[in-house]
Amino acid sequence: MSTLLRRARDVVRFGLLASLAACAGGGALRIGDITPQSIPSLEAERSQRPNDPMTLTRLGVAYFKANRYEEARTALDTAAARDPSNGIAAIYLGMTTEALGDFPAARTAYERYVTVARSRELRNTARQRLALIGRRELEFQARQSLASEATLLQTPPTPNTVAVMPFSYTGTNPQIQPLGRGLAQLVITDLAKSRQVVVLERERMQSMLDEMRLSEQNRVEQQTAVRSGRLLRAERVVQGTIAERGDQLRVDAAVVDVSSAGVAATGNASDQLSRIFDLEKALVFSIFENLGIQLSDAERASINQRPTQNIQAFLAYSRGLEAEDMGDFQAAREAYTQASGLDPSFVAAVQGAATATDLSAASTQSVSDVDVTVTQNAQQEAAGPAGAPTDALNNAANAVAGTQTSDQAAQQQTQTTPPANRNNTSEVTGGSVRPTTGTVVIVIRRPT
């Protein structure tokens, strides 16, 4: 009898090992096998298990592959809510909401995936999508603002909010022209060091300017600063120009009050290109003074810091900003990389290179391309957390064996605890039991 029970126990263990190994290796999802043709059977499974995250994930993936995005979103939303660690549900929810144009929801889903990702490649893919989603979200917001411009004209601006336009260059030197972006970014960074103002990011202003030009079919808008400020709900807008005067640069800036369309403050400075940072600092302090903003000693010290001591590095960084604003992310990456190579301590250039790399990769991928990447990496995603044992059979054996380490202990447990799938009727009658779909039923007949 003990031999029979031991053999039965081995059969049970083998079945559980095989099942757990399949789950540990991604077999539970088998993303590559899910197609639009899987939808009817998966919908039938959902009717039986409406709250099962695995079933909902599989069905959501099938809907996604069939371009049925609204239905995919519903299924994946529920799956992700019921199992926050479900990486497959999170990344497919990101792709689904991105395809629907709901960029805030896509950003949330991708951010969630980055926190639970087990596949390094998929984590990088999600991070790249996040960079692109951020830009698309700004573009979408700009289009919405233009569509509701009449309403925004009657809406008060957000207090103490400042937007900075790219500085225009009036010369002919192509090496100097990118400074319009570089100087504007420096001004944004330094103005933001005062707690008394809220400065909008450069990308937000650029997205608005891009949409305004598209809507105007390249017509020149004389009140661009005022109009863009109203659309962005900024209280003030900084605009400026860069001009060459012999061997010197002259920078003029004006702070425009959006509500009145009047000039609230002005500033100007001129110096040699080699002293461009001194010039920018003088300009910023002049703006603060004209706005009546008192800076603390700590704020002044922070503003006085230079991002780099290398002018050539700053020029390369400015070229990166210009290329990024034009949507040429590969050129932006190369320019930022050159800048960080000239000065490895130039933090903004290092960060710019990383962002441009992500944008360059993401901009060449559609959500269908991401689907292919996810399919190829789904097994690793389901394999377990980074650093966990990778031997699925060992993991499964540990889960089954627990603390029982001898045949005697196993035999004792078998004698006192009936198998979970035991069918008493079958044991008595000698009949067979037909297993339900996806379930292994093991029948142990008593010896006669």
Side-chain angles (χ1 to χ4, degrees):
M1 181 173 179
S2 63
T3 301
L4 177 62
L5 290 174
R6 187 180 301 110
R7 289 177 179 174
R9 182 208 61 194
D10 291 340
V11 170
V12 173
R13 169 176 282 189
F14 178 81
L16 289 173
L17 286 173
S19 176
L20 289 172
C23 292
L29 279 172
R30 297 191 61 83
I31 297 299
D33 293 342
I34 299 176
T35 67
Q37 288 69 39
S38 309
I39 291 175
S41 62
L42 290 172
E43 288 178 333
E45 287 186 31
R46 181 183 58 182
S47 67
Q48 298 296 319
R49 296 185 294 275
N51 297 318
D52 177 50
M54 185 69 71
T55 301
L56 291 169
T57 299
R58 290 164 57 85
L59 181 58
V61 171
Y63 282 144
F64 173 85
K65 292 176 181 290
N67 299 328
R68 293 165 61 174
Y69 298 125
E70 290 289 357
E71 293 165 290
R73 179 176 188 168
T74 300
L76 294 168
D77 254 333
T78 305
R82 293 188 174 278
D83 182 7
S85 64
N86 188 335
I88 297 298
I91 197 165
Y92 269 98
L93 182 58
M95 289 187 284
T96 298
T97 48
E98 183 181 350
L100 287 170
D102 189 345
F103 301 120
R107 184 182 68 252
T108 299
Y110 285 134
E111 286 173 346
R112 177 192 297 173
Y113 176 74
V114 168
T115 65
V116 302
R118 295 163 183 163
S119 164
R120 179 178 300 178
E121 182 173 353
L122 290 186
R123 185 186 298 111
N124 290 338
T125 298
R127 193 191 65 248
Q128 292 164 0
R129 301 311 295 178
L130 278 170
L132 189 62
I133 287 298
R135 293 183 67 91
R136 288 181 173 172
E137 189 173 0
L138 291 175
E139 293 166 0
F140 176 73
Q141 290 171 353
R143 287 194 294 271
Q144 281 190 316
S145 295
L146 281 169
S148 57
E149 185 171 4
T151 302
L152 288 175
L153 290 176
Q154 308 302 320
T155 305
T158 304
N160 302 320
T161 303
V162 178
V164 180
M165 297 182 65
F167 283 38
S168 59
Y169 173 61
T170 61
T172 59
N173 187 341
Q175 300 298 318
I176 301 298
Q177 181 175 341
L179 280 179
R181 255 77 176 188
L183 270 179
Q185 183 58 45
L186 281 184
V187 171
I188 289 171
T189 301
D190 287 342
L191 288 177
K193 291 175 180 176
S194 169
R195 297 180 180 179
Q196 299 180 56
V197 294
V198 176
V199 186
L200 300 181
E201 63 266 40
R202 179 185 61 85
E203 293 84 357
R204 187 176 297 277
M205 170 60 83
Q206 188 60 46
S207 295
M208 181 58 70
L209 292 176
D210 288 342
E211 291 301 324
M212 287 169 62
R213 289 170 187 149
L214 288 173
S215 68
E216 295 161 2
Q217 298 181 345
N218 295 323
R219 287 187 289 109
V220 177
E221 175 62 56
Q222 295 181 352
Q223 297 295 326
T224 300
V226 173
R227 186 182 178 207
S228 62
R230 285 174 176 164
L231 290 168
L232 293 169
R233 296 192 61 204
E235 188 175 48
R236 296 183 176 93
V237 175
V238 178
Q239 61 178 159
T241 60
I242 302 175
E244 291 177 277
R245 297 289 186 269
D247 63 346
Q248 291 191 330
L249 292 180
R250 178 180 174 87
V251 178
D252 293 274
V255 181
V256 180
D257 186 286
V258 173
S259 297
S260 66
V263 176
T266 60
N268 60 76
S270 60
D271 213 324
Q272 294 182 345
L273 175 61
S274 61
R275 294 176 60 84
I276 186 68
F277 302 122
D278 294 336
L279 186 153
E280 186 269 337
K281 304 305 177 186
L283 178 65
V284 168
F285 285 126
S286 176
I287 291 174
F288 277 128
E289 182 179 357
N290 280 279
L291 289 175
I293 294 177
Q294 297 294 321
L295 299 171
S296 67
D297 292 341
E299 289 172 339
R300 284 186 172 277
S302 180
I303 292 171
N304 268 318
Q305 292 182 2
R306 273 58 173 164
T308 178
Q309 299 297 329
N310 191 314
I311 298 301
Q312 293 303 316
F314 186 69
L315 285 171
Y317 171 73
S318 299
R319 290 196 297 274
L321 293 173
E322 184 177 59
E324 185 178 328
D325 287 346
M326 295 174 63
D328 190 344
F329 305 126
Q330 179 62 25
R333 185 188 68 82
E334 293 172 358
Y336 289 137
T337 301
Q338 181 186 6
S340 61
L342 291 168
D343 181 2
S345 66
F346 191 176
V347 176
V350 175
Q351 294 173 341
T355 299
T357 299
D358 287 343
L359 287 168
S360 180
S363 63
T364 60
Q365 282 188 324
S366 66
V367 289
S368 297
D369 296 327
V370 179
D371 177 33
V372 172
T373 302
V374 175
T375 300
Q376 293 171 345
N377 288 269
Q379 182 171 349
Q380 182 181 355
E381 173 58 42
T390 56
D391 189 332
L393 290 178
N394 285 340
N395 292 342
N398 290 335
V400 175
T403 59
Q404 302 295 327
T405 57
S406 67
D407 288 345
Q408 289 81 4
Q411 178 178 345
Q412 181 181 1
Q413 183 176 3
T414 306
Q415 289 174 335
T416 57
T417 306
N421 292 320
R422 177 171 170 175
N423 185 289
N424 294 327
T425 303
S426 177
E427 290 181 359
V428 173
T429 62
S432 62
V433 176
R434 178 173 297 176
T436 58
T437 303
T439 303
V440 176
V441 178
I442 300 173
V443 178
I444 302 175
R445 304 181 64 180
R446 289 195 182 95
T448 56

